[in-house]
Structure formats: structure tokens, C-alpha cells
Amino acid sequence: SQTIHQWPATLVQPVGSPLSLECTVEGTSNPNLYWYRQAAGRGLQLLFYSVGIGQISSEVPQNLSASRPQDRQFILSSKKLLLSDSGFYLCAWSPDGTILDRVGTQYFGPGTRLLVL
Amino acid sequence: AQTVTQSQPEMSVQEAETVTLSCTYDTSENNYYLFWYKQPPSRQMILVIRQEAYKQQNATENRFSVNFQKAAKSFSLKISDSQLGDTAMYFCAFLRGWAGTASKLTFGTGTRLQVTL
């Protein structure tokens, strides 16, 4: 079975500090990977997605960047955090389309709570 | 662009009763997928049910079932025999026809469901 991990679970960072959130998937190969942000009481905003190593698509221009150094690893980064970067960050994966009854389905990790002070 | 509307911000149901959450969507596509996700207080997004638009049969998963009305562009979720553990935010999501690349979901704004004794 497939599992998805995110760490850290909670992070408190000062404004202007760097950020690195990590997401890894086990039990599958060549997954599509996603980063979402969710503000308190709000819906999900897609930040980045990746269909392969080194392939990153950005949905929203912002202070963040993403990288995919390995097939099952997805990293969300920032050089200097802003107060507005606070939120709940979710990583997700979806199959590459070879499993027909799971086509398009996204599976989410446990998330990271980020508070920028 | 596709839009997903959840017109019920909050709902309440008594334990063991049945509740229906509404979702409508707007699209010009003929081939697409619909999902319901559950987000409990832990905030992890959990897949509840998945429906393929080309299938006329409504999807079911144990106590969860959908009423998919393609012509009306409606996709409601019915929870039978509600349990306290069903208390969560529920999100409806839309994915347009699979193109072999990343699945970019469009989420609704969510319905907060409270199950009471």
C-alpha cells in the first residue's frame, strides 16, 4: 500500500527566516505530486505540482518555491518567510494514470502547520 | 474554468440519522471525475468517495453514497447512520477529463458537519 509522509508536523518561524517542508511517498513510482495551502477556515489553494523529477509547475506567484530532487520526494521552500505564509500546508500524490480506477484521485499527507511570527 | 459550489456552510445531524450534503458544479466538459473529501479536526484530507462522470451508477462506500445528476450538474453526498466520527469539514472536488498529466482538482468551499448525540 502507499503512504505519504510530511514533516515537520508543526513549525513556528520568525519573519525573514528560510523554510523547508518535506514530503515523501512510499509504495508507488512516478507519482504526480502537489503542494496545497489552506488558511484557517478556508478551502485549498494549489501552489505547485510536479509530474516528474525536476518538473515543477507553479499555480500562484508568491514567496515560495518547490523542488523534486527524487521521484518520490517533494520539497516546499522559501528564502524569507512572510507573515502571510502562515497556514496549513498539505502535500498530495496521485497515480500516473496506469491504475484506471484511481485515475485523477489525490491522496493527502497529514499536513504541516506553519506559524510565522 | 470549472467552479464547484457548496451552498451549505454548516450542517448538523443527530447520531444514527441520515444527512445529505449538496454540491453543484459548472463545466462544459463531458468527461470528468467528482470526489468528496473529509477533513476531520486533525486536518488531514481523507478521500470519501469518487465518481466517474461516464458511469451512470452512483458510487457507494459503506455508509456513504452519492446522488450524481449529470444533467443537473449536481453531486450530493448522503451519509447514513451518522456517527460522531463523521464530524468534519466535507469538500466536494471536480477534475476534468484525464489528460495523462497531473490532476488539478477544483475544490468547493466546504460544508462543516457536526454530528450530535
Side-chain angles (χ1 to χ4, degrees):
Chain A
S1 63
Q2 298 83 27
T3 55
I4 177 169
H5 304 280
Q6 284 186 247
W7 65 89
T10 304
L11 192 60
V12 180
Q13 291 285 89
V15 170
S17 64
L19 173 74
S20 180
L21 303 182
E22 191 165 341
C23 170
T24 59
V25 181
E26 296 177 355
T28 188
S29 60
N30 197 33
N32 298 316
L33 298 171
Y34 312 82
W35 278 112
Y36 289 89
R37 178 167 58 199
Q38 185 180 33
R42 304 287 296 275
L44 276 72
Q45 179 188 36
L46 178 63
L47 302 175
F48 302 95
Y49 67 92
S50 171
V51 299
I53 296 174
Q55 301 178 60
I56 308 295
S57 296
S58 175
E59 287 294 294
V60 182
Q62 58 208 320
N63 186 44
L64 302 169
S65 62
S67 62
R68 185 171 177 174
Q70 300 181 43
D71 182 46
R72 289 168 288 178
Q73 183 184 31
F74 205 23
I75 297 172
L76 184 68
S77 304
S78 173
K79 292 182 179 178
K80 289 185 178 181
L81 282 169
L82 306 173
L83 288 174
S84 58
D85 291 325
S86 293
F88 188 63
Y89 289 82
L90 285 156
C91 181
W93 75 276
S94 67
D96 62 357
T98 57
I99 306 173
L100 295 180
D101 64 348
R102 298 172 74 180
V103 162
T105 305
Q106 291 189 20
Y107 301 92
F108 288 81
T112 295
R113 291 173 177 78
L114 173 65
L115 179 60
V116 182
L117 300 175
Chain B
Q2 290 77 24
T3 59
V4 177
T5 301
Q6 293 180 250
S7 58
Q8 305 153 313
E10 295 184 3
M11 294 192 71
S12 180
V13 63
Q14 286 191 321
E15 198 176 22
E17 297 296 309
T18 296
V19 64
T20 299
L21 309 183
S22 301
C23 173
T24 59
Y25 56 94
D26 185 22
T27 184
S28 58
E29 304 281 340
N30 190 50
N31 183 29
Y32 50 88
Y33 303 84
L34 295 162
F35 306 86
W36 279 98
Y37 283 89
K38 166 185 176 180
Q39 189 177 38
S42 68
R43 299 190 74 178
Q44 180 166 6
M45 295 285 284
I46 302 167
L47 176 67
V48 175
I49 205 162
R50 173 180 182 271
Q51 175 79 43
E52 297 162 354
Y54 66 86
K55 289 186 176 180
Q56 293 185 343
Q57 186 174 7
N58 289 323
T60 63
E61 286 288 343
N62 301 314
R63 298 182 294 106
F64 299 88
S65 61
V66 298
N67 183 6
F68 173 48
Q69 300 290 329
K70 190 172 184 179
K73 298 180 182 177
S74 171
F75 183 59
S76 60
L77 175 69
K78 186 172 80 170
I79 306 174
S80 304
D81 185 26
S82 296
Q83 301 176 0
L84 294 177
D86 295 333
T87 293
M89 181 75 88
Y90 287 81
F91 291 95
C92 179
F94 171 97
L95 172 70
R96 69 178 187 180
W98 183 248
T101 59
S103 61
K104 294 170 63 176
L105 290 173
T106 300
F107 285 90
T109 53
T111 295
R112 187 174 302 280
L113 177 67
Q114 180 72 46
V115 180
T116 60
L117 293 171

